[in-house]
Amino acid sequence: MVKDCKTYGLADPNWKEDGDHLVLEFPGLGIGEGVSEDVNDIVIDGVSEGVNGVLSKLITLISATPGMNAKQLAIAIGRGHSTVERYLKLLRENMLIEFRGAPKDGGYFILDK
């Protein structure tokens, strides 16, 4: 994102904590102007590519080694447990995977279409 800001002649973005959430500010855009459409598209595309990459890794891993649990998947792809749980929830909601077995020793499997 920083590289894209430099490409489009914008100042580096500022990350700030605001209570229980993170705020991203783009300085120099002026009060009330908001984020330009081009910058917004770049940010959304960058985030989407990252999320899609993780989802793709999870699907590939679950397909190759069915029955892995969230902790094992998190270690295998180098992401945090809660992050992987969030992505697994997306995959379950979209009927791509399912959890089989008891919560303590079950695992994830690809759903047949």
Side-chain angles (χ1 to χ4, degrees), residues 3-25:
K3 182 177 88 175
D4 290 330
C5 284
K6 289 184 191 293
T7 299
Y8 289 98
L10 301 170
D12 288 349
N14 296 321
W15 300 89
K16 296 180 182 179
E17 287 187 46
D18 184 17
D20 61 345
H21 59 277
L22 193 63
V23 175
L24 176 62
E25 293 179 347

Side-chain angles (χ1 to χ4, degrees), residues 23-35:
V23 175
L24 176 62
E25 293 179 347
F26 292 90
L29 293 177
I31 298 173
E33 288 180 31
V35 178

Side-chain angles (χ1 to χ4, degrees), residues 95-96 100 110-113:
M95 305 296 289
L96 296 171
R100 295 182 198 158
I110 300 292
L111 284 174
D112 294 328
K113 292 189 177 189

